[in-house]
Amino acid sequence: MEAQEREPVAAGDTILRTDGLVRKFGEFTATDHVDLEIERGEFRSIIGPNGAGKTTLFNLISGALPVTDGTIYFDGEDITGLSPQQRVRRGIGRSFQISNVFGGLSVRENVRLAAQSVHRDEYNIVESLFKTTDKYERMNERTDRILERVGLDDIAEEEADVLAYGDRRRLEIGVVLATDPDLVLFDEPTAGMSVEETQGTIDLIEDVLVDQTLMLIEHDIELVMELSDNITVLNRGEILAEGTPEEVANNQAVQDAYLGGMVE
Ligand code: ADP
Ligand code: MG
């Protein structure tokens, strides 16, 4: 894997903005007027107690759920009404809780399928029958590059079903990368993992997705403190606090409502 570092965040270059985002389930408000502003290249973590509305927020951003009220801007454009697939094509990727890997297909096929799914204009099956070389080769080269990047080039022909645990994680990240995202949402990617698996997965995300803006929901507070540029704390659907890890750790409301009960 090539060693690359994440660039410092470019201030004033907003990739994602939510404006008064509301999501209700019946009378219950799961997302309560959330205003977010994520800078391009930022590593933003979302934390908060169970039921705070973290997953709902990601569902609104990815389009898995329609908003009740409010607006979502991506790259300065209103994407509130777009389908999940349209958002993927705009550059919003998502991983882990929604499994994106087909067990019966090989590692290579999984990555190429994901790449093709967002590049319909550049590549389509019918056209490729007549113009065999160019686009087909470009897609293959792109697939090879991604396999190399996630360290799966040696086992590209293996069936996804039989992969070892860590390789499966690599493939999931490869599949996200293949959709060419600018922003990637990770909802508790390390849920159920051991300490080593957790660290390995986070390292992999950081190593592979150096050019992407990352939003991470993660319960391991130490990890969040260490990795994030900024942290948003959600509580009962509302933003309770936001800032650098240090600012959030020192925030009295956060300590009272959340960290106090979680960290000795
Ligand atoms: P978190 O990810 O922070 O644990 P969620 O976003 O999953 O929280 O849920 C926030 C609240 O919204 C919870 O009280 C949950 O029960 C409720 N909720 C989430 N999804 C639905 C749904 N589809 N229907 C009804 N209530 C829901
Ligand atoms: Mg959740």
Side-chain angles (χ1 to χ4, degrees), residues 239-258:
I239 295 180
L240 179 71
E242 199 166 72
T244 62
E246 204 188 345
E247 285 164 351
V248 164
N250 291 325
N251 183 294
Q252 192 59 49
V254 174
Q255 288 178 6
D256 293 347
Y258 180 47

Side-chain angles (χ1 to χ4, degrees), residues 5-237:
E5 292 280 320
R6 297 183 66 79
E7 300 276 334
V9 178
D13 186 4
T14 303
I15 187 165
L16 179 82
R17 186 156 77 84
T18 71
D19 191 5
L21 215 52
V22 174
R23 172 67 205 198
K24 292 186 175 231
F25 296 108
E27 291 297 296
F28 179 76
T29 306
T31 307
D32 196 357
H33 295 89
V34 167
D35 300 327
L36 274 182
E37 207 164 314
I38 313 290
E39 300 285 310
R40 195 177 302 281
E42 184 175 342
F43 193 128
R44 171 77 61 105
S45 294
I46 312 288
I47 65 172
N50 273 339
K54 305 181 294 297
T55 297
T56 302
L57 177 62
F58 273 22
N59 283 336
L60 297 175
I61 295 169
S62 71
L65 278 176
V67 308
T68 302
D69 199 12
T71 315
I72 306 167
Y73 300 93
F74 184 71
D75 272 337
E77 285 177 48
D78 183 348
I79 61 156
T80 319
L82 297 189
S83 70
Q85 187 58 27
Q86 286 172 316
R87 294 184 206 204
V88 170
R89 286 183 197 195
R90 292 278 175 114
I92 301 180
R94 178 161 199 184
S95 193
F96 289 103
Q97 279 202 338
I98 295 175
S99 183
N100 51 13
V101 167
F102 297 99
L105 299 183
S106 74
V107 168
R108 181 189 303 283
E109 285 164 340
N110 265 288
V111 170
R112 196 167 53 195
L113 202 63
Q116 283 168 206
S117 74
V118 289
H119 287 267
R120 291 249 173 79
D121 315 335
E122 277 184 48
Y123 178 92
N124 80 61
I125 298 284
V126 177
E127 201 182 319
S128 74
L129 294 174
F130 300 100
K131 291 195 228 164
T132 43
T133 50
D134 245 27
K135 290 168 185 174
Y136 186 75
E137 257 168 37
R138 241 192 298 149
M139 197 58 70
N140 280 344
E141 280 166 19
R142 202 172 123 63
T143 301
D144 286 340
R145 270 206 311 278
I146 291 166
L147 289 170
E148 227 170 275
R149 188 108 186 83
V150 294
L152 290 177
D153 41 332
D154 288 345
I155 55 168
E157 311 314 326
E158 294 270 328
E159 240 183 58
D161 261 342
V162 304
L163 292 181
Y165 188 79
D167 290 333
R168 170 90 183 194
R169 294 282 97 94
R170 288 175 187 280
L171 179 54
E172 282 170 354
I173 291 175
V175 167
V176 177
L177 194 59
T179 66
D180 202 11
D182 295 317
L183 167 70
V184 185
L185 310 174
F186 286 104
D187 189 351
E188 304 200 19
T190 68
M193 291 186 190
S194 69
V195 174
E196 293 95 81
E197 286 165 350
T198 296
Q199 189 63 56
T201 299
I202 297 292
D203 287 347
L204 184 66
I205 289 170
E206 277 223 297
D207 288 347
V208 171
L209 301 173
V210 272
D211 296 326
Q212 277 76 17
T213 306
L214 301 180
M215 290 179 74
L216 172 73
I217 298 172
E218 169 60 53
H219 56 267
D220 185 331
I221 298 297
E222 263 179 57
L223 212 55
V224 163
M225 291 289 167
E226 179 193 320
L227 292 171
S228 314
D229 294 312
N230 292 293
I231 300 171
T232 298
V233 186
L234 282 184
N235 195 38
R236 297 168 194 262

